Amino acid sequence: TTSGAFAESLQVEVEKQMVNLDRKTIIEQSIRDNGRIIVVESLEEAFQLVNELAPEHLQLMIENPLEHMQSIQNAGAIFLGNYSPEALGDYVAGPNHTLPTSGTAAFSSPLGVYDFMKKSSIIHYTKQALQDVSNEIITLANAEGLSAHANSIQIRKADD
């Protein structure tokens, strides 16, 4: 948040909400170990922090959240506005409930249908297309110490 006053009221509200929850002990431990309320100078600083933390869930409770979407690169699920809580996404709205945790949203996406589909890469070059990139392939293969790869190109190159 950009507001110290809001940060203080949020802390009070979190403690108030925990009082009657069934899993109060687990929630208290989680908040103690992982919970943070951070006051920043600007939304830009907030977005930078979000992208560094790469949260599993991110709720943008700001005016016009759609206008700021381009600032978010690393988050598992993004909830926009005051009326899009995490539970909505978990149970009704439709996105996958299996999200990248512990900052892995920096390099991973939510689990999706494509994770369960078998895919193959298909490569087709013409003789001329291979000739056009053969020197680069040979150089890279030799740099990696894969002389057989380099040779497989050199043989085809000599096929001229």
Side-chain angles (χ1 to χ4, degrees):
T1 181
T2 56
S3 166
F6 178 76
E8 289 177 22
S9 67
L10 179 60
Q11 178 66 41
V12 170
E13 187 64 27
V14 167
E15 290 171 13
K16 178 180 159 187
Q17 291 296 320
M18 282 194 300
V19 171
N20 296 315
L21 296 175
D22 295 337
R23 301 174 62 199
K24 179 182 178 189
T25 305
I26 294 169
I27 293 166
E28 285 176 333
Q29 181 72 41
S30 178
I31 288 174
R32 187 171 38 256
D33 292 349
N34 303 302
R36 303 291 180 272
I37 299 172
I38 301 171
V39 180
V40 294
E41 295 292 321
S42 65
L43 285 179
E44 291 74 26
E45 184 181 354
F47 296 136
Q48 182 179 16
L49 182 61
V50 162
N51 287 322
E52 288 175 23
L53 295 173
E56 179 179 357
H57 303 95
L58 172 65
Q59 186 165 1
L60 292 179
M61 297 174 70
I62 58 177
E63 287 187 37
N64 306 311
L66 281 171
E67 293 177 13
H68 300 280
M69 286 300 301
Q70 73 279 358
S71 298
I72 305 297
Q73 285 86 42
N74 300 326
I78 304 169
F79 301 87
L80 303 178
N82 295 342
Y83 301 101
S84 302
E86 178 189 337
L88 176 69
D90 285 353
Y91 301 117
V92 175
N96 195 298
H97 187 63
T98 306
L99 300 170
T101 60
S102 303
T104 58
F107 58 83
S108 186
S109 300
L111 188 65
V113 171
Y114 291 112
D115 295 304
F116 297 97
M117 295 178 69
K118 184 185 173 306
K119 300 172 272 198
S120 297
S121 297
I122 300 170
I123 296 91
H124 175 258
Y125 269 54
T126 63
K127 182 176 182 178
Q128 185 58 54
L130 180 61
Q131 294 294 330
D132 291 345
V133 296
S134 62
N135 290 335
E136 291 83 354
I137 298 170
I138 292 168
T139 299
L140 289 168
N142 285 327
E144 288 190 322
L146 301 175
S147 59
H149 280 9
N151 194 43
S152 74
I153 302 301
Q154 190 64 47
I155 291 168
R156 286 166 176 84
K157 191 175 175 183
D159 213 16
D160 270 343

